[in-house]
Structures are given as C-alpha cells and as structure tokens.
Amino acid sequence: VEKFERHLKERGYGPYAVELKETGEFIGFVGLHAVELDVPFAPATEIAWRLDYGHWGHGYATEAAESVLKHTFKKLKLDEIIAFAVHDNARAFHIMEKIGMKRDPKGDFDYPGIAKDHPLGQFHLYRVKAKK
C-alpha cells in the first residue's frame, strides 16, 4: 500500500481500490503504473488489475478499466497506455480487447529475470492510444 501511495503522489496516478457498491467490500485494484522494466517499450504507462478470484467474471475489471482509461485520456492527457500478460492468460487478453486495446505482436517479450524457456516467461503486449 505504501508503494502504491508513493507512486500516486509522485506521478498523479496509480492503482485505485475497487469496492462493491452494495457492500463496500474491497475486491482488488485497477489502475495505472509506470513501467520501469528493462523492456523495449519502456518507459510506458501500464493499466493493470488484480481482483479477488471470487469476483472474476462479473465485469468488474472491465468496468473499472474503462473508467481508468477515460480518466487517463481526458484528465491526465496521456497519449498511450499499454498492458501485458503472460502468453496464455486469455481472460486478461479478453478484458484488454473489451476496453479497446489491440495486441502488438512485435512488442511481445520475455519477462526480465525469467528464463526464456520458462512456461511463464513469454508475455504479450497490448496498446491503446488516446483518440485525437
């Protein structure tokens, strides 16, 4: 939480808490993160989400991510947002596509620090640009 708060203070954006409207229950986060990995597309700003497994499949990540992107392009005036996930994470790719992101196959990469032959080492890159 301290790392998230510091990122928000330094950059003006970060991960935002996601709560159920009905109960106020915290179910995870959706937000923006500065990519500081040693990858060809960095520096960049990533949209990411992590929700409690019991709340998957209800549209919460999509709804929150759409709101974050709207805020990103209208208020923060950022030009492009990226997202990435391990090569077989079909659920994440589905959300990325639902919020208007497109895969950039030329940007796919091996995650730094993970062996190239590791089953979780290959990541797919998605992008979305602000509408002009």
Side-chain angles (χ1 to χ4, degrees):
V1 171
E2 289 175 8
K3 184 178 178 182
F4 287 173
E5 288 176 344
R6 186 172 50 254
H7 190 280
L8 184 62
K9 190 174 186 177
E10 290 172 0
R11 303 211 180 239
Y13 59 80
Y16 307 106
V18 177
E19 298 177 342
L20 292 179
K21 286 181 183 178
E22 300 81 16
T23 64
E25 176 189 359
F26 172 77
I27 63 169
F29 73 84
V30 177
L32 302 173
H33 178 73
V35 176
E36 297 173 348
L37 297 171
D38 183 16
V39 289
F41 56 85
T45 304
E46 171 194 16
I47 187 168
W49 46 87
R50 303 288 183 278
L51 297 183
D52 182 66
Y53 182 76
H55 298 287
W56 288 15
H58 298 283
Y60 300 134
T62 301
E63 179 183 356
E66 287 172 337
S67 294
V68 168
L69 284 181
K70 185 182 291 185
H71 173 73
T72 298
F73 295 136
K74 290 188 178 197
K75 301 287 185 189
L76 298 176
K77 304 291 188 197
L78 298 180
D79 293 325
E80 180 181 59
I81 298 299
I82 60 99
F84 51 85
V86 70
H87 67 93
D88 62 354
N89 191 341
R91 292 181 84 112
F93 301 144
H94 181 68
I95 293 169
M96 292 172 196
E97 291 165 3
K98 281 177 73 173
I99 65 173
M101 302 188 91
K102 303 286 185 214
R103 182 164 173 219
D104 176 4
K106 292 180 183 175
D108 290 354
F109 64 100
D110 294 317
Y111 199 91
I114 298 179
K116 288 186 185 287
D117 60 346
H118 191 282
L120 299 178
Q122 177 67 39
F123 278 67
H124 291 186
L125 179 68
Y126 280 69
R127 300 176 183 271
V128 64
K129 293 186 181 289
K131 293 181 174 118
K132 301 284 179 172

